[in-house]
Every structure is written in C-alpha cells, then in structure tokens.
C-alpha cells in the first residue's frame, strides 16, 4: 500500500533530477570589481576553507596564530598535532596548548601548586622577557591581565591557510619555541591538577574539541618531559556547553576541588564573564585561551587571557582594509553574539576614524539562521569593495559560498 | 528588481519550510502530537544522504553524477521514512491513550537523543552535501548583470519536486481509499477504527510520508544553506512547526502556504528591516530580527484567524 | 478547605531539608559543601520555575513553550535596575542604612543596602512580568491550547532577539555584567565566610517557599478549583458558569509573577545575565520538570525540578569519574543521550509523572462545580476535528 503510493513521488524526483545539469556558464558580465572577504579570528579554521568549497579562495583572515610550518617551533607542534589528531591545529588548539604551558611554567615559578602563588607568577609575566614563549608568540600580561599579542594576517591560497605576504602589525611575534626540553624524566608523586573548561558539548562543540586536543597534547608533552615540579600534571575537564548557567556550575565545581590550582578557560566570552566572579571569590587563577570581550579581565586580579581583545582586533581588521588593501567601502556581516557584536563595534569605530565607509552592517543569529541568500542579496545591493565577517568559521564559510553564488566574489 | 530577488529568495526557502512542515501537520492531524523530533528526522535525512554520497563517490569528490545523487538521496529518504515509522513504534505508540503532554515530552527526549547520537556518529563539525557539478551554481536564467538575479537548476528542481509531491499528496489524501481512512482517522479515530480503519497503519503511513518529505526537505535545506550540522533540525523544526500552525495545523496545503509566507516575510525582513530607522537609536532596525519576523507574522495571523489560514475550526474545543 | 496533611508535611520537610543541606554537607568537607551549594542552588532555579509553570501547564492545562521569556524578564529587570547609574539604587540605600560590621551583618541582614535593593527590584520585576503576560494573554488566551503554545514559543524567540538586538537598553549580547551580590559583604574574596557562599542559596530556598505557599494556597482556594475545572473539562466548566478566559488569565499572571521571582533568584546566583540564558532549551527543561514530576502535583513538580536539575550536574561530575575508573573516555554527548533516554523511559512507564496528583488531593473542587471529571486528556481524544 505504502509503496504503491510513494512510488510516483520517487519517480517524479528521479525524472526531474536526472535530466542532467547544463554545463558551467561562461557569460558573466562585469559590474565593477569583485569583492574581497576579510574575516576576524573566529573565521580562522581549516574548516572554513573546507566548508566554503573553493569560495574562500583569496580571503584574508586576522588571527593570533597561523599554522606556518616555516617556523621550527610551530612545525614541531603542528606535526605532533597532526600525528595525534589527523587534522591541522587551529588557533584555539594552539592558544590552549600555550595556555596549559603558561600555567605549567607559572606553577614551576611558584614552586608549589598554590593558587595564590600561581596568580602572582602569572602576574609577574609582565614583559616580553619574562613572558612565556609559545607557538602563538610570547604570552605576557599587563596590569589588567590582558595580553598584548600581535595579530597576523592569513590568506587563503590554493585551498590552504597561509601566512599572507602583507602583514600589518610590525611588532615581532617573538620567535615561536618548541615545547619543553624532551629529557625523559619520570614524573612522580601526587598529580598537580588544573581545570580546563570549554564547550565540549552544545553549539560550540567543535571549538571544544580543538581546545581539548590542544590541552591534551601539551599535557602529554609535559608529563613525558618530567611533569611539573617533578610531579605529573592532571587535567579535569569542565563542560560549560557555551551557556552561562553551566559555566557557573563548572566554576563552582572547580572551586570545590581543593587540589585544583588553576583553570584554563572559559572559551566563550559570556561564559568567562559568568564564571569570573566565582574564580575571584574562590581565588583561583584562570587563563582564557578564547574570550576576547573587553570586559573579561576587567576588575578581577584572577582572570588572564593569552590573546588580544576585541578592540585591538577590530582596529587591526579596519586598518588592514584601509592601509594594506587600500579599499574604501565595506559591508559587515556579524554574528549577533558577544563576540561578533564586540568585534563589529570596534571595527566600525575605527572605520569611522579612518574614513572606511561601512555601507551596511548585517547581523545574523547563528543558532537560527537558515540560509544566507537574502542577507547576501542585501550586501550585493550595496556593491562593497570588501566584505568583513565578524563571526565563526561555520557561518563565514556559508557567507563566502553565498557571495560566490551571488557573483559578488570570484 | 531587488524586491523581486528577495521575494524569489523567500519563495525558495519557504517551500523548503513547507516540505518539512508537512511532516508536522500530518502527524498532528492524525494523532494531535507536536512531533518535536521531526526536525531531527530531517537532520538525519541530510546526514545519511551525505554519508551515502561520501561512501559512493569518495569524501573528497568534487563532482558527482546527477543520477547517483538522486538515487542515494531517495534511498536515504526512504530509510528516513522507515526511521519515522520506527520512531513512532518505539516512542509514541506506547503512549497512545495517555496524556498528550507525556507524548510531547517523549518527543523532546527523542529530539535530544537523536541530536546527540548524531554527534557521536558524525561528529559536531559542519558537513556538506556534495552535489552534481553546476547544480547550485550554474544559472539557467540570469536577469541583470553579474550581480543580478540567478535561477539555478537547484531552484527549478525543488520547485518541481514540491509541485509533484503536493499533487501526489493531494491524490493520496483526497482520491484514494487509504486517504479516506486517513481523513476519517483525523476526524474521529474511535469512529474510524470502529468502521474498520486500521489506525496503526494510518499512523505509520503518516509518519513515513512526513519523514520522507522531511528528509528531502532536510537535504534541500542543507544544500540551500551551504553546510549543516547536527543542530540544523532544531531551528528548522521550530520554523516549520510555526509554518504548519500558520497555515492551519492539520492542513497539508496550509503547511506549504505557511512555509512560503514565513520564508518570504523573512527574506523581506533581511532586505528591508535595516531601511526602517530605529525609533530610539541611530541607524536602522537590526537584520538580526529576521528570525523574529516569521514568528510575529504567525502571532498576528493566529490572532486574526485562530484556526490558521487554511485550517478548520475545532469541534469540541469551543 | 484545609491543606491535605500529607502534602503539607511533605513540603515542610522538603523545605527544612533544603535549609539544612548546607549545614549537613559542611560536615563532609569543603568539596562536598561547595558542590552541594552549587548543584543545590541550580536545582532550586528549576524547582522555582517549574512550580511557576505548574500553575499554568499543570493546573490550568495551558501549554506554555516559552516560560524562559518571563524568567528572563525578571532577571533582566533586576540586573538593569541594580546596575543602573553605577549601582545608584544600592548607593541610595547605603545613604541612610547604618553600616554594620562583624556578625551583626548576618543577624541584621535585612538592613544590608544590597539586599534592600534586591527587595526593591522584586516587586518591579513581578509587576512588569505580569503586565507582559496581560498584554500577551489578552488577545491570545482565547486560542485553543496548542495555538496558545505556539504563540508563547514564538514570543520567547522574539523576546530573545529583542534582548539581543536592543543593546541601548539591555546591553546586548555580552549581557549585563558585574551585577552586585545579594549582600554587600558577599563580594570580598573570602572563601571561609559561610554566608558569602550560602546567601544566594538561602535566598533561593526562601523564594521557593514563597512559590510553594502561593501555589498551594491558590490551588486550594475557590480560584484554584476553577483552574482545575478549566483544565479537566473546559466545556463543562464553562457551562457551569466558570469564566474560562478569566481563569486562564489568572493562571498566566500567577505564572509570570512567580517566574519573574525565579528570574531574580537566577540573577542572585549568577550575578550576570546575558541573552545566552534565554535559550529555548531552558523552556523545554522547565516543561520537562512539570510533566516528569506530575502535572498539577505540587510535590511531584518539586521532585521533578530536583531530578532534572541534579541529573545533568550529577552526570557532568560523575561521568569523568566513571571514565577514569574504567579507563575509557566516555564522550560528553553520552550525558544528553542518557538524559533523553530517561525522559522517554519515565514517560513510557510513568506517563503521569513520578508523583502524579493523588485523587484526594483536589477532589471536591469539581464535584462542587458539578462537573463530570474526564480522565486525563488522551492522545486521541483532544482537539478532534469537526
């Protein structure tokens, strides 16, 4: 019964789809130049290139880390990472890798796994000389706990994320260094425990996986090289599911572990903001490898980050467009979460100062957006020279794809 | 011109909402259940299609033959239809006769379960469905220059499929004995079963058809969006459910109409919201409201016509 | 009508147990104490909001798929008022309340400027939330059940997007940060001070007690009997002179008031609120608490709140321990897979919830109205098409 009724439907579908597709078109007429895509660091991921299926070619991305294997430090990290996880590390894996390393050094400096001591050791890393040289450059903190790290420009070339020939930030990144000396000592005794918090389930899960991978790799390296203070390091995972209430729960859980001496996390800025007060009250030093919101480290001596803030990034993105690309008009696509709006606000602020005309700011909600065609049509009607994306790589890939389909980019 | 383009964009998305909404409306029409797991069924359809295509043509295949695409998508949709029946048998059937809310919570449980199983099987990353070369990019019809309106083979095929499936459904429901049984069940299940209608069979068919169309809808949504992940079903499901209610829940043409209205209104919102000046702050109204506009229209229409556009008034619920 | 004794005893015992919990776990050491406070205060949010929803969904039979909008409104009203003008409200109270020190601060906690500010915020949040429910309810409550449900669902989605996009009012996506603590002496980095860790917990218990009192009193009043009548058989209730629209409105408003209270409790716990807190899943979880606990049953919903609130947390803390013991890392998704399965299984084997309404609990109400009481609405029965 069922089959006989469904069959015509199926036949219809088959008939209509098997008629074959016409060959690729040739007749494109030129309406001025093609636009160029520029993305914020949320876009930096090998998956951006993969998902955009060719539409990402030629886009520029501002990022704290590039998997540039010409540098020996990064090469070692990148090879170890690929050997372990069969994929290239992204910026978050690298930053977490460094964050765990930074905490390990701070523990060594403090001389014992003591929360207050580690905080002081982190706060003492206040210059390039005293900072932690990792694969993402030297991590060192200002009074606030913020980190001044240079922003690099990556370019998608030949389906790969490469370091662009045009770099805007001239202050040197500090030579990336290979992780600890590999003297095979044995770590003994009671493990030293640190917490790593991130979105291991829920919407930001892909980031969580990278964070976990980066942290695990560093953990394995540290423990193979004799651990910290001669004792093995141990990580407790805290899944904040990208939601505030769960971030509070995770922070409370961490605070309730007397043996836990430091936290690497959280990833999302809102989660960091939600957990901040608890770490402060419990006096646990926390180092976030992902939260760029301006307020994250404000007003707490216990919160640190090892990447730049939204305001710095927004300025760099805008300056890159005006100074390096020498373009005058742009359309901004931004994710209306804390990251996207933060970045967009500072980008627009800088654009106003430097005479870059923002023709339109188009926001989207990454949870509920079903397609980008109409939003890209909107962008298309403004014919911008540059399309700036302040969002995550997943949506950025969709925007790039839709732009290509609309004839906006090459 | 631009208006035409927005409208076309909206229509293209809207019919996909409509295809998915049909699954909601049919199930609701027969057993009065808001099948919250329907979005996940659509997601599974897309996932399975992507997997089949990956197996058959290699994960990195750039172009795949059109026939292969159709065959594997149909196969996946059929499987998904079977899965819909299974869902009903495992989760909902034991609850016939108990409170409707228990069934609703079961549906929510199923939705959570399926989403997270999907993560465990396919991972949390985004996935793409490989399509035949030129399927979504080659313009069959191009109005205006490079930046003009493009109608691609993808658009034509989803339109044809929608027309075909709507006619098929009309035929099934209105012209066959089985359709009569379905309509009878929707009106009064007890009386229908007394008249010899086998309820289980009617319910199973409903789930099969809804899930089959949902799977195709899921694949089309994934292609239209560009990529998809395990969460795609959640929001698409909500919108499609809203579309079903807007059109009058229980009415199949209503579901399609509702989908189209929401799709078009959302597209207009994307295009014109930012042109309206914000009453309190500088600048236009945020395009972030695109997703709210569909629901606003839904609420307004329900207020004016409580039974939805094409729905019939309930009997005993005065 | 007097309270059924068994239920009163149960609720009192539950409240006393919740009050004693931090003292009991204190004996088990720091970790147990802090964890029990964290998980406990988290569960309290579910208990409060589920109890609020119980009035509307459980007692009146109106499906609401967007309760989080009202909880969020409470939290946002509180956060914005408390932080407005550099904590002006607290400054205002600090101006004429004597400054206390030492243990006296605990004893005279109600004189604390922060606490007074919170107390000021609560009625405003409640009134705003009730106004909102009135605005939304007036045109929509005449809709039949499922249409009303989709309106609330849509409304919650719209509310979420408004909060996200109207940054001039709500501070946008990054949320309202640095909300002052419940007590001025809770802010310091003092791990040892008992009260700074427990204040929001006890506040939660107090809010729950208020909720329970309101819900039980409402249910046992003639108004409550009207609500139950509307739920059990709308037509019969109407033909017996019950004003269905009025009772629906009443339940919606009581719900919104209690939900706003829950929102303030949520704020007191997190001292932070952002649109991220308003997601659809929270609404669904509140609903799950109600249905899983037993619709309309005050005790059941209380248990449902504890169960669902604790389930996620216990699994979050427990699964890594299990992983470690068996030496295989269980993927984090397993938590949600199990969560889904538990929902399905409970509904399969206890379709009326863990602790369904006992027949005697509200018997009388309907008989007095002379209405014939239907069995629970069934899968097939409701909303048959004419």
């Amino acid at each position: 019964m069922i089959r006989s009724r469904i069959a015509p439907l199926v036949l219809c579908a088959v008939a209509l789809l098997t008629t074959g597709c016409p060959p690729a078109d040739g007749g494109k007429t030129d309406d001025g130049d093609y636009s160029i895509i520029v993305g914020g660091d949320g876009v930096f991921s090998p998956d951006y290139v993969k998902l955009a299926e060719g539409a990402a070619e030629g886009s520029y991305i501002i990022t704290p880390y590039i998997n540039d294997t010409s540098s020996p430090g990064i090469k070692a990290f990148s090879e170890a990472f690929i050997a372990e996880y069969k994929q290239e590390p992204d910026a978050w894996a690298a930053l977490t890798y460094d964050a765990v390393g930074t905490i390990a050094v701070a523990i060594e400096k403090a001389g014992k796994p003591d929360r207050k001591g580690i905080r002081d050791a982190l706060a003492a890393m206040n210059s390039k000389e005293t900072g932690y040289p990792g694969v993402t450059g030297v991590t060192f903190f200002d009074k606030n706990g913020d980190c001044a790290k240079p922003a690099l420009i990556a370019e998608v070339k030949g389906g790969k994320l490469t370091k662009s020939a045009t770099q805007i930030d001239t202050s040197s990144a500090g030579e990336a260094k290979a992780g600890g000396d590999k003297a095979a000592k044995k770590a003994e005794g009671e493990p030293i425990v640190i917490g790593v918090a991130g979105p291991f389930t829920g919407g930001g899960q892909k980031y969580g996986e990278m964070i976990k991978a980066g942290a695990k790799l560093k953990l394995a390296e540290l423990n193979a090289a004799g651990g910290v203070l001669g004792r093995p390091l141990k990580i407790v995972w805290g899944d904040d599911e990208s939601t505030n209430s769960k971030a509070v729960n995770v922070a409370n859980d961490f605070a309730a572990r007397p043996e836990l001496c430091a936290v690497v996390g959280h990833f999302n800025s809102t989660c960091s903001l939600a957990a901040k007060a608890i770490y402060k009250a419990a006096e646990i030093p926390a180092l976030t490898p992902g939260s760029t919101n301006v307020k994250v480290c404000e007003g707490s001596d216990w919160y640190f980050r090892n990447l730049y803030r939204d305001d710095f990034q927004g300025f760099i993105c805008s300056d890159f467009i005006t100074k390096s690309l020498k373009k005058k008009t742009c359309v901004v696509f931004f994710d209306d979460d804390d990251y996207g709006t933060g970045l967009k606000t500072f980008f627009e602020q800088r654009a106003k100062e430097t005479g870059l005309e923002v023709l339109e700011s188009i926001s989207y909600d990454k949870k509920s957006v079903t397609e980008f065609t109409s939003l890209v049509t909107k962008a298309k009607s403004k014919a911008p020279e540059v399309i700036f994306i302040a969002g995550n790589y997943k949506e950025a890939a969709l925007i790039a794809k839709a732009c290509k389909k609309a004839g906006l980019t090459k | 011109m631009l208006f035409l383009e927005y409208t076309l964009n909206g229509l293209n998305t809207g019919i996909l909402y409509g295809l998915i909404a049909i699954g909601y409306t049919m199930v609701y029409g027969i057993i009065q259940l808001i099948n919250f797991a329907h979005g996940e069924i659509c997601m599974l359809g897309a996932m399975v299609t992507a997997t089949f295509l990956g197996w058959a043509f290699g994960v990195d295949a750039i172009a795949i033959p059109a026939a292969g695409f159709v065959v594997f998508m149909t196969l996946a949709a059929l499987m998904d239809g079977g899965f819909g029946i299974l869902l009903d048998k495992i989760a909902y059937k034991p609850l016939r006769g108990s409170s409707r809310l228990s069934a609703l919570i079961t549906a929510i449980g199923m939705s959570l379960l399926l989403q997270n199983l999907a993560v465990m099987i396919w991972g949390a990353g985004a996935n793409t469905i490989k399509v035949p070369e030129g399927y979504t990019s080659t313009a069959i019809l191009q109005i205006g220059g490079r930046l003009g309106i493009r109608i691609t083979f993808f658009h034509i095929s989803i339109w044809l499929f929608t027309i075909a499936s709507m006619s098929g459904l009309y035929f099934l429901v209105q012209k066959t004995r089985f359709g009569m049984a379905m309509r009878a069940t929707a009106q009064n299940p007890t009386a229908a079963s007394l008249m010899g209608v086998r309820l289980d069979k009617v319910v199973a068919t409903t789930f099969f058809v809804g899930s089959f169309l949902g799977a195709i809808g899921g694949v089309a949504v994934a292609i239209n969006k560009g990529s998809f992940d395990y969460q795609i079903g959640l929001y698409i499901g909500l919108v499609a459910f809203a579309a079903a209610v807007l059109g009058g829940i229980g009415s199949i043409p209503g579901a399609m109409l509702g989908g189209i209205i929401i799709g078009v209104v959302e597209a207009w919102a994307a295009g014109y919201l930012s042109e309206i000046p914000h009453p309190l702050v500088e600048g236009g109204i945020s395009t972030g409201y695109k997703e709210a506009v569909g629901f606003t229209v839904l609420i307004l229409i329900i207020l004016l016509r409580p039974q939805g556009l094409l729905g019939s008034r309930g009997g005993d619920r005065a | 009508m007097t309270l059924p004794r068994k239920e009163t005893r149960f609720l009192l015992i539950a409240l006393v147990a919740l009050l004693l919990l931090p003292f009991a776990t204190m004996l088990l050491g720091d970790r147990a104490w802090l964890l029990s406070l964290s998980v406990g205060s988290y569960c309290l949010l579910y208990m409060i909001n589920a109890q609020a929803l119980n009035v509307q969904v459980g007692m009146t039979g109106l499906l609401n798929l967007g309760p989080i909008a009202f909880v969020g409104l409470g939290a946002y009203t509180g956060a914005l008022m408390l932080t407005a003008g550099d904590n002006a409200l607290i400054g205002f109270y600090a101006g004429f309340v004597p400054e206390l020190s030492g243990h006296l601060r605990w004893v005279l906690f109600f004189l604390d400027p922060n606490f007074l500010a919170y107390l000021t915020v609560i009625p405003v949040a409640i009134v705003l939330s009730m106004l909102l429910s009135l605005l939304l309810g007036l045109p929509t409550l005449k809709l039949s059940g499922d249409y009303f449900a989709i309106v609330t669902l849509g409304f919650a989605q719209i509310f979420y997007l408004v909060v996200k996009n109207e940054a001039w009012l709500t501070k946008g996506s990054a949320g309202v940060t640095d909300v002052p603590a419940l007590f001025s002496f809770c802010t310091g980095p003092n791990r040892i001070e008992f009260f700074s860790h427990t204040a929001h917990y006890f506040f939660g218990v107090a809010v729950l007690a208020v909720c329970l009192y309101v819900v039980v009193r409402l249910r046992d009043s003639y108004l409550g009997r009207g609500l139950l009548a509307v739920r059990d058989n709308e037509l019969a209730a109407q033909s017996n002179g019950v004003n269905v629209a009025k009772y629906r409105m009443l339940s919606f408003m009581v719900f919104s008031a209690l939900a706003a209270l829950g929102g303030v409790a949520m704020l007191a716990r997190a001292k932070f609120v952002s649109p991220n807190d308003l997601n659809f899943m929270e609404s669904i979880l509140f609903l799950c608490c109600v249905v899983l606990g037993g619709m309309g049953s005050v005790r059941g919903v209380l248990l449902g709140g504890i169960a669902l609130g604790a389930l996620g947390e216990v699994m979050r803390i427990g699964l890594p321990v299990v992983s470690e013991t068996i030496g295989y890392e269980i993927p984090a998704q397993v938590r949600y897979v199990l969560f889904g399965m538990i929902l399905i299984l409970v509904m399969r084997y206890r379709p009326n919830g863990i602790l369904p309404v006992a027949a005697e609990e509200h018997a009388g109400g309907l008989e007095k109205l002379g209405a014939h009481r239907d069995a629970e609405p069934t899968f097939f029965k409701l909303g048959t098409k004419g």
Side-chain angles (χ1 to χ4, degrees):
Chain A
M1 189 81 173
I2 294 166
R3 215 175 307 123
S4 68
R5 298 300 169 207
I6 294 305
L9 292 183
V10 176
L11 282 180
C12 277
V14 171
L16 109 222
L17 289 167
T18 43
T19 43
C21 297
D25 71 327
K28 269 184 192 164
T29 53
D30 261 331
D31 299 319
D33 289 332
Y34 285 105
S35 312
I36 299 170
I37 294 177
V38 176
D41 63 3
V43 180
F44 186 85
S45 161
D47 280 0
Y48 166 63
V49 185
K50 207 178 101 201
L51 288 172
E53 294 180 326
E57 196 66 21
S59 35
Y60 296 94
I61 304 167
I62 283 76
T63 168
Y65 167 83
I66 295 176
N67 207 27
D68 169 24
T69 44
S70 65
S71 151
I74 294 179
K75 187 159 186 263
F77 162 68
S78 165
E79 276 171 2
F81 194 93
I82 293 170
E84 185 72 35
Y85 304 106
K86 315 277 173 290
Q87 56 180 326
E88 268 187 27
D90 67 1
W92 317 116
L95 284 166
T96 314
Y97 177 83
D98 278 358
V100 175
T102 312
I103 294 283
V105 168
I107 297 173
E108 294 273 5
K109 275 191 188 156
K112 57 179 190 287
D114 161 57
R115 293 174 178 181
K116 182 87 170 57
I118 296 169
R119 193 214 80 90
D120 292 343
L122 283 174
M125 295 184 182
N126 55 6
S127 69
K128 209 162 248 176
E129 289 70 44
T130 51
Y132 171 80
V135 292
T136 59
V138 181
T139 303
F140 62 96
F141 311 101
D142 64 9
K143 273 182 289 187
N144 221 358
D146 287 326
C147 177
K149 247 188 210 165
L152 308 170
I153 313 290
E155 189 181 351
V156 183
K157 235 189 211 164
K160 281 228 140 30
L161 285 163
T162 56
K163 196 167 178 175
S164 171
T166 38
Q167 293 293 333
I168 180 152
D169 201 44
T170 44
S171 66
S172 113
E175 190 50 40
K177 228 181 85 179
D181 51 335
K182 294 273 193 288
K185 283 176 280 182
K186 199 149 185 289
E188 277 165 352
E190 190 76 354
I192 292 174
V193 181
I194 64 169
V196 175
F200 303 129
T201 59
Q205 189 171 336
K206 193 68 192 172
Y207 292 110
E209 282 168 10
M210 277 299 188
I211 287 170
K212 213 173 208 178
K216 270 187 176 166
L217 189 63
K218 188 78 204 181
L219 179 76
E221 277 175 15
L222 283 170
N223 283 343
V228 180
L229 300 171
R231 288 158 63 180
L233 193 69
K234 189 185 151 199
I235 290 180
V236 196
W237 306 101
D239 179 9
D240 63 28
E241 301 174 34
S242 300
T243 57
N244 303 344
S245 51
K246 304 287 162 62
V248 170
N249 292 347
V250 166
N252 278 327
D253 178 23
F254 283 167
R257 295 170 188 265
E259 76 282 7
L260 185 137
C261 60
V263 171
V264 172
H266 296 227
F267 176 72
N268 303 76
S269 291
T270 41
C271 292
S272 285
L273 290 168
K276 186 169 91 173
I278 295 165
Y279 292 134
K280 188 180 172 188
E283 305 193 318
I284 303 176
L287 172 58
T288 164
S291 302
T292 51
N293 188 290
V294 185
K295 283 188 183 158
V296 167
C297 300
E298 225 172 62
S300 167
D301 292 339
W302 297 85
Y303 227 93
F304 299 87
R305 69 176 119 210
N306 70 351
L307 76 171
Y308 47 63
R309 311 196 311 191
D310 282 341
D311 49 356
F312 176 76
Q313 192 190 170
F315 278 35
I316 292 283
C317 293
S318 172
D319 283 358
F320 174 71
I321 293 169
T322 46
K323 291 186 185 146
S324 304
L325 296 178
K326 304 216 173 355
K327 301 290 182 193
K328 292 203 173 49
T329 59
C330 72
V331 160
V332 181
F333 277 96
F334 68 103
D335 189 336
D336 61 3
D337 68 355
D338 51 316
Y339 165 72
T341 35
L343 182 52
K344 167 233 167 203
T345 311
F346 292 108
F347 176 84
E348 281 186 340
Q349 192 181 324
R350 183 66 174 173
K352 217 174 192 178
E353 288 166 15
T354 53
L356 173 67
E357 196 186 347
V358 179
L359 301 168
E360 183 85 43
S361 296
I362 300 172
S363 77
Y364 59 87
D365 175 46
K366 66 171 167 297
K367 270 189 215 133
S368 54
V369 72
T370 47
E371 46 94 38
F372 279 99
T373 324
S374 302
L375 293 175
V376 166
T377 303
K378 177 84 193 165
K380 192 169 80 172
S381 70
K382 306 277 173 181
E385 287 176 297
V386 171
I387 292 163
F388 176 62
I389 305 175
N392 293 342
Y393 69 90
K394 243 184 223 175
E395 287 75 33
L398 300 179
I399 293 170
K401 242 176 157 176
C403 284
K404 192 181 178 189
K405 270 185 210 159
L408 199 53
T409 56
K410 221 176 255 172
Chain B
M1 176 70 179
L2 209 53
F3 177 76
L4 183 68
E5 188 167 2
Y6 288 129
T7 313
L8 268 177
N9 288 341
L11 285 172
N12 290 332
T13 321
I15 57 170
L16 305 183
Y17 293 159
L19 277 180
I20 295 172
I22 288 174
Y24 277 104
T25 222
M26 284 179 77
V27 168
Y28 190 92
I30 303 282
I31 54 175
Q32 270 75 48
L33 165 73
I34 303 172
N35 181 10
F36 257 102
H38 186 59
E40 272 58 55
I41 294 272
C42 303
M43 177 268 292
L44 282 183
M47 285 286 185
V48 173
T49 307
T51 313
F52 280 174
L53 291 174
W55 282 344
F57 305 108
V59 188
D60 298 318
I62 296 163
I64 55 167
F69 175 71
V70 173
V71 168
F72 285 110
M73 183 178 70
T74 316
L75 206 61
L78 288 174
M79 261 183 71
D80 211 35
F83 193 75
I85 299 180
L86 205 64
L87 175 73
D88 173 53
K89 289 269 184 295
I90 294 175
Y92 306 142
K93 202 177 167 205
L95 287 172
R96 302 254 208 282
S98 55
S99 148
R100 290 170 65 228
L101 272 180
S102 326
L104 181 68
I105 300 295
T106 306
I108 290 166
M110 262 298 169
S111 163
L112 275 176
L113 185 77
L114 291 177
Q115 266 187 46
N116 287 285
L117 278 178
V119 177
M120 289 167 75
I121 300 170
W122 289 287
N127 217 327
T128 50
I129 289 182
K130 303 275 184 274
V131 291
E133 202 181 348
Y135 182 53
T136 54
S137 56
T138 307
I140 288 179
L141 185 69
Q142 179 129 12
I143 310 165
R146 169 166 67 87
L147 294 179
I149 301 177
R150 260 177 213 215
I151 294 174
T152 64
F153 200 76
F154 169 67
H155 298 137
I156 306 238
S157 60
I158 53 172
W159 276 99
L160 288 177
F161 178 78
T162 305
I163 293 167
S165 56
M166 291 301 286
S167 345
L169 276 177
Y170 176 79
F171 180 77
L172 170 70
V173 175
Q174 300 294 338
K175 302 285 175 198
T176 62
R177 270 183 71 83
F178 191 78
M180 201 199 282
M182 282 172 86
R183 281 178 288 141
T185 313
Q187 276 188 5
N188 191 334
T190 324
S193 76
L194 288 174
M195 301 307 287
V197 172
R198 284 162 63 195
L199 294 184
D200 283 342
K201 206 169 161 187
V202 169
V203 174
T205 314
T206 308
F207 269 93
F208 180 85
V209 174
S211 305
F212 179 86
L213 291 178
I216 305 266
V219 171
V221 163
I223 295 174
N224 192 38
K225 189 178 177 190
S227 77
F228 68 104
D229 59 14
Y230 70 104
Q231 286 188 315
I232 198 174
L234 187 68
Y235 187 76
I236 289 280
L238 287 187
V239 178
F241 175 51
V245 176
L246 178 58
I249 197 149
S251 153
I252 294 173
M256 186 48 76
L257 183 66
I260 289 176
I261 289 178
I262 290 189
V264 170
V265 168
E266 278 190 2
W268 286 343
Y272 298 110
L273 264 184
S274 61
E275 314 279 326
I276 307 168
H278 193 290
L280 293 162
V281 284
E282 198 192 338
I285 288 177
S286 159
T287 46
Y289 284 118
K290 175 175 170 256
E291 276 75 30
V293 168
F295 282 110
T296 313
V297 169
L298 166 75
I299 292 177
L300 291 178
I301 289 190
I302 294 188
L303 291 183
L304 296 174
R305 238 187 104 76
Q307 69 274 40
L309 288 174
L310 302 182
S312 49
R313 263 211 177 279
D316 63 354
R317 304 271 284 175
Chain C
M1 191 169 125
T2 51
L3 291 174
R5 285 202 48 193
K6 217 167 130 195
E7 188 195 37
T8 322
R9 215 183 315 137
F10 181 93
L11 295 179
L12 282 177
I13 290 173
L15 280 175
V16 170
L18 282 171
L19 275 178
L20 291 179
L21 178 78
F23 299 98
T25 49
M26 225 164 131
L27 305 173
L28 300 172
D30 247 15
R31 175 160 167 74
W33 181 57
L34 289 169
L35 263 191
S36 69
L37 282 174
S38 165
V39 177
S41 59
Y42 186 66
C43 290
L44 275 169
L45 299 181
Y46 281 93
M47 289 189 250
I48 295 164
N49 293 320
Q51 209 58 257
L53 198 59
N54 190 21
V55 175
Q56 197 177 17
V57 178
M59 292 185 189
T60 323
L62 266 181
L63 183 55
N64 183 340
L65 290 175
I68 192 68
F70 296 89
V71 178
L73 183 74
Y76 260 96
T77 312
L80 291 172
M81 278 181 71
L82 287 168
T83 53
D86 241 357
N87 303 351
L89 192 59
I90 292 172
F92 168 73
Y93 282 115
F96 58 79
V97 174
E99 207 168 313
L100 302 166
S101 60
H103 292 284
L104 207 58
R105 302 184 299 189
W106 300 5
V107 182
L108 298 176
F109 66 89
F110 45 86
L111 283 180
D112 190 86
N114 285 33
F115 190 62
L116 286 172
Y118 265 90
L119 288 186
T120 323
V121 159
I122 288 173
V124 180
I126 289 178
V127 168
L128 277 181
S129 181
M130 284 171 87
L131 274 179
L132 189 72
S133 69
L134 196 68
L135 269 179
L136 185 68
L138 277 181
T140 55
L141 278 170
K142 62 175 194 291
L143 299 174
S144 70
D146 287 339
Y147 287 96
F148 177 74
I150 184 83
V151 167
T152 53
L153 171 74
F155 176 74
Q157 191 68 17
I158 294 170
F159 183 80
Y160 165 74
L161 288 169
V162 168
V163 167
K164 235 178 167 180
N165 283 295
E166 299 307 318
W168 57 275
L169 176 67
T170 61
K171 311 258 159 76
S173 303
V176 189
T177 50
D178 302 319
V179 176
L182 197 53
F183 292 98
S184 56
F185 47 89
C186 287
T187 47
N190 202 342
R191 288 193 69 234
I192 302 99
E193 197 159 339
F194 178 78
F195 211 55
S196 64
H197 278 284
T198 46
H200 67 267
Y201 177 83
F202 288 124
F203 182 68
V205 177
V207 169
L208 178 68
V210 172
C211 269
L212 288 175
Y213 180 77
V214 170
V215 172
V216 170
R217 282 304 295 259
L218 176 76
R219 188 199 56 202
D220 293 334
S221 69
Y222 79 99
L223 290 171
R225 286 193 286 278
L227 297 181
L228 296 174
V230 169
R231 176 191 71 182
D232 291 337
N233 195 332
E234 209 180 297
L235 267 182
Q238 200 161 27
S239 26
N240 279 284
V242 175
N243 184 341
V244 171
K246 188 182 113 189
Y247 279 99
R248 284 181 159 181
M249 197 67 238
L250 172 79
S251 78
F252 197 9
M253 288 179 80
V254 172
F255 150 75
S256 65
L258 296 180
L261 204 55
V264 177
M266 184 170 103
L267 183 71
R269 176 175 190 261
K271 300 181 209 71
F272 173 65
V273 60
S274 83
N276 185 327
D277 286 317
L278 305 178
N279 77 57
F280 172 66
M281 267 327 283
E282 293 295 314
S283 289
I284 292 300
L285 281 177
F286 295 151
L287 187 67
C288 288
C289 295
V290 175
V291 182
L292 215 66
M295 294 223 301
S297 152
V298 178
R299 285 180 288 177
V301 172
L302 195 72
L303 287 181
I306 299 179
L308 283 195
L311 187 61
E313 288 313 298
V314 167
M315 285 198 287
R316 180 205 315 287
I317 298 162
L319 270 190
V321 180
V322 178
S323 296
E324 214 164 281
T325 8
I326 61 171
Y328 166 77
E329 199 189 329
I330 302 170
Q333 287 71 35
V334 168
R335 271 190 352 240
Y336 276 99
V337 172
L338 285 178
F339 193 90
M341 275 189 187
I342 289 171
L343 285 186
I344 295 166
L345 288 177
V346 173
M347 286 294 103
R348 170 80 174 76
Y349 293 103
R350 292 197 73 93
N352 292 326
I354 316 175
L355 208 65
V357 182
E360 80 271 21
E361 217 170 272
H362 65 260
L366 291 158
E367 274 80 292
K368 266 185 203 149
L369 284 162
H372 163 71
R373 180 155 183 250
D374 258 358
E376 281 287 287
T378 61
F379 214 27
F380 268 125
K381 240 177 181 167
L382 258 186
T384 39
K385 294 264 145 26

